[in-house]
Amino acid sequence: MASRAYGISRFNIVSLALGLAFLYLPIAVLVVYSFNGSRLVTVWGGWSLRWYTEFFNDHAMIDAAWMSFRVAVSSATIATLLGTLAAVALSRGERFKGRAVFSGMLYAPLVMPEVITGLSLLLLFVAINVERGFWTVTVAHATLTLCFVAVVVQSRLGPLDRSLEEAAMDLGCDPVGAFVAVTLPQILPAIIAGWMLAFTLSLDDLVIASFTTGPGSETLPIRIYSELRLGVKPEINAICTLVIGLITVVIVVASLASKLSSAQTRSAAPL
């Protein structure tokens, strides 16, 4: 009766269950087998933390993970700054010349294959004689993720009431001060969401990093891919589980912070 009241049929329930299983069952299997005590990935040998110990003793893998984290934080910060400015320009500058060209160039990485983006960046770095390393990977990832940040922030800027900024300027604020005092707090959740999306995309990238990396700047996806060519090791399951746990914690913290911010905003709103 409850399912009829809410318009939920058995077909919908089965479709939802199959969809969730398709998305999350492989991840669940990976997490379970990261605690496998056997050296063989497909053979269960009992519960064990052996492969987590192996990972923390693998200095090459630790260095690659630390490199990925540094690149992700740096590129996400750069992409968030530039993407926010680009979103403001597109939302508030409806009539400037070249807006259509600027918008098309900004959103091109959304539809362009990563192989083309990585190859073009590689040719650019070779042409200007830049040594490939940490900063080339960071710039490449910022180039890729900037458009995602711009999309998220622009979608938040669109419905905002611009009269609030105009009122702030009437009260003595300059345009920059009015934006910082009035608009920035309202779009801050979108900026944080854009940063998290850029961080995740950078942490996960393999194709572009393989084109732009150099000696001493091997990221974790590249290291894992090189290990997989020699065979799947249970240690890789442990690494992936730790990454999944880190991302889960970040998402939960961000969700709680967003709810807390919304609750404070509602409580501070005038009656």
Side-chain angles (χ1 to χ4, degrees):
M1 293 177 63
S3 62
R4 291 180 180 178
Y6 288 99
I8 302 176
S9 63
R10 291 183 179 180
F11 176 78
N12 293 335
I13 296 174
V14 172
S15 300
L16 178 61
L18 291 177
L20 293 177
F22 178 79
L23 290 174
Y24 296 107
L25 185 58
I27 297 177
V29 172
L30 183 146
V31 172
V32 170
Y33 271 86
S34 69
F35 298 98
N36 184 15
S38 173
R39 182 176 292 274
L40 300 176
V41 179
T42 58
V43 177
W44 181 255
W47 296 95
S48 174
L49 297 176
R50 171 186 177 184
W51 302 112
Y52 290 91
T53 305
E54 291 283 341
F55 167 67
F56 287 110
N57 291 329
D58 190 342
H59 297 290
M61 197 69 76
I62 291 292
D63 292 340
W66 175 239
M67 176 62 67
S68 289
F69 182 79
R70 289 169 54 204
V71 168
V73 171
S74 302
S75 63
T77 303
I78 296 172
T80 301
L81 177 61
L82 298 179
T84 301
L85 294 176
V88 172
L90 290 174
S91 298
R92 302 301 170 83
E94 296 87 355
R95 299 181 180 179
F96 71 88
K97 294 182 179 179
R99 183 181 186 278
V101 176
F102 176 74
S103 178
M105 294 177 64
L106 177 65
Y107 297 139
L110 286 171
V111 295
M112 189 177 298
E114 291 188 2
V115 173
I116 297 177
T117 303
L119 180 59
S120 61
L121 288 170
L122 171 62
L123 296 176
L124 173 64
F125 294 142
V126 171
I128 62 179
N129 196 23
V130 175
E131 183 179 357
R132 284 177 291 167
F134 170 80
W135 285 111
T136 55
V137 180
T138 299
V139 170
H141 283 181
T143 303
L144 171 68
T145 57
L146 186 153
C147 55
F148 292 92
V149 177
V151 169
V152 174
V153 177
Q154 188 178 3
S155 66
R156 176 58 179 157
L157 277 169
L160 291 183
D161 187 3
R162 297 182 61 178
S163 62
L164 297 176
E165 284 189 34
E166 296 173 356
M169 288 187 284
D170 289 340
L171 295 174
C173 287
D174 56 15
V176 176
F179 176 82
V180 172
V182 177
T183 304
L184 186 60
Q186 299 183 70
I187 65 172
L188 188 59
I191 294 175
I192 296 174
W195 188 92
M196 292 179 57
L197 179 60
F199 176 84
T200 305
L201 291 173
S202 175
L203 197 67
D204 180 64
D205 177 71
L206 171 65
V207 178
I208 294 179
S210 64
F211 281 99
T212 57
T213 190
S217 60
E218 185 181 47
T219 60
L220 185 59
I222 295 177
R223 181 70 185 181
I224 292 176
Y225 179 72
S226 63
E227 293 281 349
L228 287 174
R229 289 186 297 179
L230 303 176
V232 180
K233 297 193 305 182
E235 180 186 349
I236 296 176
N237 293 341
I239 298 167
C240 295
T241 301
L242 291 174
V243 173
I244 293 170
L246 174 63
I247 294 175
T248 302
V249 170
V250 171
I251 292 174
V252 170
V253 171
S255 299
L256 293 177
S258 178
K259 290 183 179 179
L260 181 61
S261 177
S262 299
Q264 291 177 349
T265 301
R266 287 194 299 267
S267 62
L271 299 175

